[in-house]
Amino acid sequence: MAKRTAVIDIGSNSVRMVIYERTSRFAFHLLHEAKSRVRISENAYENDGELQKEPTQRAFDALQEFSYILQSYKVNKTLCVATSALRDAPNQKKFLNKVRKELKISIKVISGEKEAYLGGIAVANLLHLDSGLSIDIGGGSTEIAYYTDRKVTQTYSLDLGTVRLKELYFDNGDIEGAKSHILREFEKLPSSLKHERIIGIGGTLRALSKMVLDREEVQFKKLHGFSFDIQSEQAYFDTLLNADQKGLRKLGVKEERLDVIQPGLLILTLLIKHIDAKQIISSGVGVREGLFLSDLLRSENDRFPHNYNPSIRSILDRFAPKTKTSVYESSAKLFDLCSDFLALTHEHRTLF
């Protein structure tokens, strides 16, 4: 496998890129990440899925910038996928051909089930939970994956996305129509699909989790692995659903999410009821990491070896390749050296 691999994810809302560097067989670390909010699906859903000129140009410009970054990092391999917006677009080939011809980037349009699977293997390998139901509410679709024992066993893709619902229903004030659309899509899910734990991946759930995290008084605000009880935040969610744009700003919604946070939250709220979820756990990993892992672990059934931690292995590879001291002992010593200067207590030592 290539030493440096770039992964590009073209979603309905944003185009994102990460560059990873391998340090040993399964260990890797992040070198660079970039994001451009191009909203390639803008005005597509109200035009039978046709990609429009200005949004596709924005996406092309973003990919062109990414291509310069790839060259500067001397990337050996590039994996690029597109999801719902291009999946639905009857004129996708024109865009795909232009990018391949002018930027030398080959884009693979993946199915909804494949998208769900990639998100599922990312959290199964990198979140360290025995089982869970990963939910990715994107701009054009919602992907769901169930995994247990680090193996994804069920995947589902629904035509429910924030931009899709915004353009078809919210822009016309038809909230009831949006609810009906959501419930119709839920009919694709088996009645047995229940789980008390939702693992949130993708922009919508990450944004909601960050807003909840910002409201809590915790010293270390780390989003990956942050969890909260749904019942304790239900009143906050209800307030978000009923607020106007001025109110949304006061409630902590970022400018780029103002027009799509309510469609996304409506999908989430109804989905919570449908699967009887009690807790949400935020994940900092998703489709991009899943795509990288599917390449890295293709001979291992998309799973790391038992008790293998790629982050710890990468730290040892880079900073202590010859030491026999465990990373836990080294980190404890490092903490003790820095604790007075950083005014950290013994409670923090246990946490680290």
Side-chain angles (χ1 to χ4, degrees):
M1 183 179 179
K3 184 174 177 60
R4 289 187 175 180
T5 300
V7 180
I8 301 174
D9 171 18
I10 305 172
S12 300
N13 245 335
S14 303
V15 178
R16 297 170 181 263
M17 179 179 71
V18 289
I19 300 175
Y20 294 112
E21 183 173 65
R22 286 181 66 207
T23 58
S24 54
R25 185 180 180 191
F26 296 129
F28 63 94
H29 65 104
L30 179 68
L31 275 181
H32 183 83
E33 59 183 332
K35 171 188 174 183
S36 182
R37 184 178 173 272
V38 301
R39 194 167 286 187
I40 193 173
S41 64
E42 185 174 49
N43 298 325
Y45 298 112
E46 57 189 8
N47 287 285
D48 299 320
E50 289 268 350
L51 298 174
Q52 303 299 296
K53 183 177 180 179
E54 288 187 14
T56 51
Q57 186 60 49
R58 290 197 300 264
F60 180 87
D61 292 343
L63 290 171
Q64 187 171 51
E65 289 295 321
F66 287 0
S67 71
Y68 300 146
I69 297 171
L70 296 176
Q71 293 173 34
S72 69
Y73 275 90
K74 296 180 171 57
V75 169
N76 308 106
K77 187 174 189 177
T78 300
L79 306 171
C80 182
V81 295
T83 54
S84 178
L86 268 74
R87 198 160 57 224
D88 297 338
N91 60 337
Q92 59 170 259
K93 286 188 177 179
K94 181 179 179 181
F95 178 73
L96 298 178
N97 290 337
K98 181 179 180 182
V99 171
R100 183 173 60 251
K101 181 178 179 181
E102 298 184 27
L103 304 181
K104 312 304 180 191
I105 296 175
S106 295
I107 302 171
K108 183 177 182 180
V109 181
I110 59 174
S111 68
E113 288 71 23
K114 180 67 173 181
E115 184 181 355
Y117 177 77
L118 294 176
I121 64 170
V123 297
N125 280 287
L126 300 174
L127 199 57
H128 307 297
L129 293 172
D130 292 337
S131 69
L133 201 66
S134 68
I135 309 291
D136 185 356
I137 301 173
S141 62
T142 292
E143 275 65 47
I144 302 171
Y146 173 76
Y147 77 91
T148 184
D149 190 28
R150 295 184 298 131
K151 184 177 181 180
V152 176
T153 58
Q154 298 176 56
T155 58
Y156 306 94
S157 181
L158 308 177
D159 290 332
L160 297 174
T162 58
V163 180
R164 186 190 296 268
L165 292 186
K166 169 193 175 296
E167 294 187 358
L168 295 179
Y169 301 102
F170 276 74
D171 285 351
N172 302 317
D174 185 11
I175 310 305
E176 290 304 313
K179 288 180 180 178
S180 297
H181 182 123
I182 293 169
L183 294 177
R184 283 196 305 273
E185 284 297 302
F186 284 176
E187 292 175 4
K188 297 177 181 178
L189 302 175
S191 58
S192 60
L193 189 65
K194 307 288 181 184
H195 207 288
E196 65 177 15
R197 188 162 58 204
I198 285 177
I199 299 171
I201 63 179
T204 297
L205 271 154
R206 195 174 293 126
L208 288 168
S209 295
K210 189 176 187 308
M211 287 155 56
V212 172
L213 179 61
D214 288 343
R215 295 171 71 238
E216 297 199 0
E217 294 183 4
V218 293
Q219 185 163 2
F220 301 106
K221 294 193 173 183
K222 183 173 175 59
L223 196 60
H224 184 63
F226 170 66
S227 65
F228 61 90
D229 292 330
I230 293 169
Q231 187 175 3
S232 66
E233 299 298 335
Q234 192 59 58
Y236 177 54
F237 286 172
D238 291 342
T239 304
L240 283 169
L241 275 173
N242 294 295
D244 57 16
Q245 285 210 344
K246 184 178 180 181
L248 290 174
R249 289 188 181 95
K250 289 182 177 179
L251 290 165
V253 180
K254 290 187 176 181
E255 202 70 25
E256 66 184 46
R257 289 268 164 198
L258 283 176
D259 60 343
V260 292
I261 195 69
Q262 288 173 326
L265 185 52
L266 182 61
I267 295 169
L268 176 62
T269 299
L270 294 176
L271 188 57
I272 285 169
K273 294 178 181 178
H274 189 81
I275 64 176
D276 296 332
K278 303 293 188 295
Q279 183 187 40
I280 292 177
I281 299 173
S282 179
S283 168
V285 298
V287 171
R288 290 173 299 287
E289 291 76 13
L291 182 58
F292 176 74
L293 292 179
S294 69
D295 188 46
L296 178 71
L297 303 172
R298 58 185 180 275
S299 63
E300 303 291 325
N301 294 319
D302 295 340
R303 290 189 288 181
F304 284 112
H306 188 61
N307 287 334
Y308 184 88
N309 187 312
S311 298
I312 291 176
R313 183 67 262 166
S314 175
I315 290 171
L316 291 173
D317 289 343
R318 287 179 288 153
F319 304 113
K322 297 180 180 179
T323 183
K324 294 182 179 180
T325 306
S326 75
V327 72
Y328 305 104
E329 292 173 347
S330 299
S331 61
K333 289 179 181 178
L334 183 62
F335 180 90
D336 292 339
L337 287 170
C338 300
S339 57
D340 289 342
F341 177 73
L342 297 173
L344 300 174
T345 69
H346 187 72
E347 290 180 358
H348 298 140
R349 191 178 195 273
T350 303
L351 177 61
F352 277 105

